[in-house]
Amino acid sequence: MRHLFVVLAFCLLVLGNVASAKDHKGITTSAIGEGRFTLIERATPAKILMAEDELKGVQIAAQNLQVDFERVCGKKAQLLNETPQGKCIIVGSLQSTYIQKIVKAGKLDAAALNGKVEKYLMTTIDNPLPGVEEALVIAGSDMRGTIYGIYELSEQIGVSPWYDWMDVPVMHQENLSIAKGCYTAGEPGVRYRGIFLNDEAPCLTTWVKNTFGTNYGGHKFYARCFELILRLRGNFMWPAMWSWSFYADDPLNSQTASEMGVIMGTSHHEPMARNHQEWARHRREYGEWDYVTNQKVLDQFFREGILRSKDNEDLVTIGMRGDGDAAMGAKEGHDDEFVDNDQATIKLLEKIVKNQREIIAKETGRPAKERQQVWALYKEVQRYYDKGLKVPDDAIILFSDDNWGDIRRLPSAEERRNHNGGFGMYYHVDYVGAPRNSKWLNITPIQHMWDQLSLTYQYGVDKLWVLNVGDLKPMEYPISLFMEMAWYPTRYNATNLLEQPREWCAQQFGESQAKEAARILNLYSQYAGRVTAEMLDAKIYNVETGEWKQVADEFMRLETEALRQYMTLPTEYRDAYSQAILFPIQALGNVYQMYYAHAMNQKLYKEGNPEANIWADRVEEAFARDKVLCNVYNKEMSGGKWNGMMIQKHIGYTMWDDRFPADKCPTVSRFENVEEMTGKYIFTPSDGYVAMDAEHYYSKENSAEGQWTLIPFMGRTRSGISVQPYTSDVKGSSVAYRLVIPTGHDEVDVHIITASTLAFQRVEGHRYTVGFEGQEAVEVNFNGELNEDPENVYRIMYPTVASRIVDMTVHIKVGAAGTKNLIIKPLDPGVILEKIIIDLGGYKPSFLFGNESPCKRN
Amino acid sequence: MRHLFVVLAFCLLVLGNVASAKDHKGITTSAIGEGRFTLIERATPAKILMAEDELKGVQIAAQNLQVDFERVCGKKAQLLNETPQGKCIIVGSLQSTYIQKIVKAGKLDAAALNGKVEKYLMTTIDNPLPGVEEALVIAGSDMRGTIYGIYELSEQIGVSPWYDWMDVPVMHQENLSIAKGCYTAGEPGVRYRGIFLNDEAPCLTTWVKNTFGTNYGGHKFYARCFELILRLRGNFMWPAMWSWSFYADDPLNSQTASEMGVIMGTSHHEPMARNHQEWARHRREYGEWDYVTNQKVLDQFFREGILRSKDNEDLVTIGMRGDGDAAMGAKEGHDDEFVDNDQATIKLLEKIVKNQREIIAKETGRPAKERQQVWALYKEVQRYYDKGLKVPDDAIILFSDDNWGDIRRLPSAEERRNHNGGFGMYYHVDYVGAPRNSKWLNITPIQHMWDQLSLTYQYGVDKLWVLNVGDLKPMEYPISLFMEMAWYPTRYNATNLLEQPREWCAQQFGESQAKEAARILNLYSQYAGRVTAEMLDAKIYNVETGEWKQVADEFMRLETEALRQYMTLPTEYRDAYSQAILFPIQALGNVYQMYYAHAMNQKLYKEGNPEANIWADRVEEAFARDKVLCNVYNKEMSGGKWNGMMIQKHIGYTMWDDRFPADKCPTVSRFENVEEMTGKYIFTPSDGYVAMDAEHYYSKENSAEGQWTLIPFMGRTRSGISVQPYTSDVKGSSVAYRLVIPTGHDEVDVHIITASTLAFQRVEGHRYTVGFEGQEAVEVNFNGELNEDPENVYRIMYPTVASRIVDMTVHIKVGAAGTKNLIIKPLDPGVILEKIIIDLGGYKPSFLFGNESPCKRN
């Protein structure tokens, strides 16, 4: 069963009464059974009936449905134009032959579809047509309504909208049926819903080159985009425009969009259905992109756009910005070098738009208002609007976010009342601009997008929503969230919001994995939203307070959880899971580890601590790992299908743009000859105590025969030191720890943590002395009770040795405050010092005896 | 090439001069080449020549070598008794026919082997025998020397000693040769080196039942143990003795040991080569295990043991403890209920041993000193020794550790001079006893074992080392470390110690994975050494200081690293890697997550925080995951080969032993109706500041139309709250935060962290007020500059919105110290509060604005 929802009661099907149509999320598919309509039986799919005169877009969707059935059961569904005997699936728009017949026979109430926008009904009907015993009828109010109904069925049989763009596997089914009933997804909340492929070099362009062999996006590429959009119940697109020209590169592009049913637009700064590149490639011939000096050429340029588009549904962008997405009369990225010329510009813009509308009217042969237009109030254009710029009443006013997902401006109640063209929103999950590009990974928190799109809709912005998706990948999830909100903006509230990623994950990774995948995806989105990889550096988090460690650890935890889930996934799901969840976590997590290591490297280097070198290695290892991870994405994942899609630079930004030759490893600092760097540590208190790892002494004295020997990793934390060999006389050996004691601590508790060496040689116990230099030393017998004497064995020995350490606490005199030496001298062999804590009143009992206190080497 | 060491120069082979034999670690195998001896050519292995009259143990090893070649190249090596033409491998003990012929021909210097213990030479010889052009000769000083030489070759061709017990894969080779030269591993540092299978229920016994169908360890099972021991260059074993009887269960057990070349003993409390079960099963017939009251029966029992063993090499345990590993006259686990009767017991023990030696002399027909004996000074018996108990001069005195790896006692220089029988060490990596059993996982730090075994050897304890290995699995690594140190106790020092796990990992997982695997294995061993799963609980680490989070995070980090490596491993290595590295980390790490969650659950429940419930879920999830992990070990890993090996209880100890029916999930505390548990939080300062997540308010007021709405996961850390819908009038809404302000803070800086909502409605900016109750409130415009005005766009807007939050800091009056309410009132829509920080002088700028301060609900 693909959906959670179980059909609890038999669905009473009242023919003709579709007012009661249920939400499409209630559809269930499962094995064949009573009261259900059979879709697949013994691996043979139901036949599909469609009228010969059906709209092209519906035909294409129906052909895709044929193949979707093949993906599910191994056998393509037959697509017929003549009524078959028995049962079948009937697809058609309301106007089409068979649907009209069914309506006329009183078997389907046309009122439920008539005049509706992009609505479908999916319903089972007995004897809908002569000879047809029973049919699952998918009828649409219009072309796209029908298409959405068809793709709804595709989803229901187990084909994710992301089967192609995210390699979501299709589970094989031998037998499948659908719960009888009448279902609909209703009408869209937002009229135009789509995506903008943008900032498409180097990833998308390289991938297209590798995949299609073209230096531009051709119709085979766009057809895959269109199919995705339609399967996500979108209807709109702004094509990529950095170096590609949708209209000029491949004449079949526009035709394919029209046929498939996707409405094209041109981006906010490309007026009159023309691509920026169409001008840019002919700049020498056309001259300046300046309406004041070059109106004639521009008008002709605009005219050609309208002529080309007049017979399709394309949404015409009006208005004008400067050349190549710059403000008019300004240079992109220099908006702060501002000379107020707004009133003149406003006048000019109003003139431009007036002329544009005249061109539209003339070339379409109808009033301008009958051809849907949009004016994008992006960046500075919004300011003109606020200063009085008049927008034609029928044009959609397209507001925008700040490129980071915050809505800049929303219409007031008055504006909503007065502007008949309605409002739109241009939103970003990818951005090339200040303070730094965000082109690499999905960095949009789920809650943020939900919050701001909810806000958008609450303020009546429902005519056009368009999402800047960068290269499209790896924005799979935010694209889905955006399109779902565009269809049904109020479905999710603050309480049920996380149902959305859960359902999305169920569709992509299976119901049993959905909850955990969604939990991980949500946390990833939150972490990624904190700061982008491009903006991250060693200084973002506080290394001194432990914040850096904490966030680096958080990412490791998340990666563990994702890896755990990855390992439990059936193999066929792994590529999809990698794309949506595992790779982003590993990739961004690794960048976190790298900068954390860099922060530690810098800190320890400054402190003279030779461990700086270890952290330097870690920086370089993480930098190398970044390449490995991206390479796997490009070359190995999904059999190398996404070759080029993950080549975006993301390490080494120094300004907003990525104009540096290649990712660059942070510069690390290293000590030479670390082997010689022993001793000389000086500690200062923190949180009311000083904790010192035993290896971080200030100075040491060896005995005649024995050597103080470092045992790395000995003990609970860092290491241990002892005089070796253990057969040698320890006489004369000592070690000194140097630390700052503030005033007010004449006497202190000192914890000496040693390994739980037993009294293997001196039955009464092995000893050391401890004392501050210049004060009397105290003798400590640390293992005299660690034996099997009846009074010791269970009370002292076993608990101690099982803990592997002995914590001896002595109360000793300090002398005057200041920088002091604490001296420890072993008197017997086998004293392995691990840690020393000076309690200045703040020490809280800890199993690891606190993190090491701040120290420097002098 | 299997070994790191590259043969840099041609090995000059001086026949007969084996004084220059190189360390066996210098052997390299690689593809066939000049100056190398070919072992496998086009998937055909070299022939093996062995004398017909060879010792049985050598024959068995040679047969295993045949199969090892098959594992490598797919074709069994031929084993011949007659000299072949051409080239071959010749194996034999010094006394065997062919080796004697080679010695007599002056081609091999017998002096290098004569009188040596368990030594082999592996050397290439031209024309060693008539008709044989060239041979790789493996000659041993004795049976085991020869066996070790044979298994050395097995290792060199790529068969790990752990191929069976840890499923280490054998890499296929079509062509393989060995560097010419003369190699040896020398003689062992310790005379008897072995393992003790102990505490063998439920895991080992269940696995044996599932694998061999027997309720005891039969000879097929033991043969696999013996092979492992010999491949690890061990020679000794104490068999399992809880419910099994090595001698009585299967008469072929003892014979198999003798034939294969393993010396058997009986454990420290099973004297005279008899199993405890041999008495226990006949207790009704035999009577009390008490030498005072039942000497006659005991003497006869002892006599039967010696009679049975007189013709084999078995090492005879002498002395006596109480029944079933208890102290004499005491009850196991009640050593502290002590009545001093030591002098009487000593006299009795001396009498027992005198009689035992008389039995030995009588039944073997030779003086007692000619039959090697061992007396274990385990637990209380060591005390008798210290009090004067005399041990026969020829018997090995077996000291022991404290069951936790610390050496209890070592012989003084005088004892070493005076006691000719020498000394042994009984060491543990598994224990049933106080303070808690340690039966589940390997919990021995590498450094600890190395340190204490080095100490042991430094003090002249070199006659017998025996390791209690529990069920054998999952102690693979510590068994290897122990056996390697027993052979060559001084090979590793504090500096090169970590070469040992690195080489071990190279052998098990391949050279390219060795460094990282060893790094992970070492860290695991350190973490596991801190506290066992059996002793761990919510209280071990400090939850208040963040220590618990830190150690839980550390384990997650380690698991990530292990999972990363696991995913890069060729599939055939994964089972081995799971057994030695991934499973222990995941299993113990999961127990850490469970108790950490339990600690958090208890803490938050006490504080009245409804998030206690989330942590309760986590406890239960981890408990369930523990079962999943163990089940995979038992049923899925290695195709279910280890079914039963991982069924040891480890959660729910309340006393030292595991006498509880099943693992028991820690008891969690949960609030009912958490949905209603909003507000009432009261904060106290920590580290000089108070940080409060916005959802943790004390009280709130909604506006007429709007509701304060929680948006979980909104923002950088926990969540955000805002008055929704955003179209509603916020007038009348407010939220109060309650916190303790200490004296000396009349005025404070307050940071209010909100989402970077823009002024979508009120162009001049959206506002809220903030102030302590009873004091004047300050009005804050938090987004008035977040616009694209030239002076704001790059300087303020972009950096702020890309950070997704606005940190507004106000300096406000507190009034008198005490528990105060801070009131925040939105004046415009879209104020999403995320965090509030009151800086009392200690706040350090942090990207996440500090961890939330201590709070309780009232």
Side-chain angles (χ1 to χ4, degrees), chain A residues 451 526 550 560 717 726 848, chain B residues 451 526 547 560 717 726 851:
Chain A
D451 181 74
Q526 185 181 38
Q550 194 171 313
T560 311
T717 48
Y726 294 134
L848 304 180
Chain B
D451 181 75
Q526 184 181 39
E547 184 181 46
T560 310
T717 49
Y726 294 134
N851 292 324

Side-chain angles (χ1 to χ4, degrees), chain A residues 706-744:
Chain A
Q707 297 269 341
W708 279 104
T709 304
L710 171 68
I711 315 171
F713 299 99
M714 181 83 194
R716 287 191 186 160
T717 48
R718 189 176 261 107
S719 57
I721 59 170
S722 63
V723 177
Q724 295 194 13
Y726 294 134
T727 43
S728 66
D729 188 350
V730 297
K731 205 171 158 180
S733 62
S734 70
V735 61
Y737 295 91
R738 196 160 171 81
L739 67 157
V740 175
I741 303 263
T743 52

Side-chain angles (χ1 to χ4, degrees), chain A residues 403 443 451 458-459 526 530 547 550 557 559-560 564 593 716-717 726 798 804 845 848 851, chain B residues 403 443 451 458-459 526 530 547 550 556 559-560 564 593 625 716-717 726 798 804 848 851:
Chain A
N403 303 301
I443 47 86
D451 181 74
Q458 285 169 11
Y459 278 77
Q526 185 181 38
R530 288 171 176 170
E547 184 181 47
Q550 194 171 313
R557 178 175 284 268
E559 182 174 340
T560 311
R564 284 180 185 167
Q593 305 312 321
R716 287 191 186 160
T717 48
Y726 294 134
Y798 274 123
R804 300 193 194 280
L848 304 180
N851 292 324
Chain B
N403 303 301
I443 47 86
D451 181 75
Q458 285 168 11
Y459 277 78
Q526 184 181 39
R530 288 171 176 171
E547 184 181 46
Q550 193 171 314
M556 289 300 264
E559 183 174 338
T560 310
R564 283 180 186 169
Q593 306 311 321
R625 187 162 184 267
R716 289 189 185 161
T717 49
Y726 294 134
Y798 274 123
R804 299 194 194 282
L848 304 181
N851 292 324

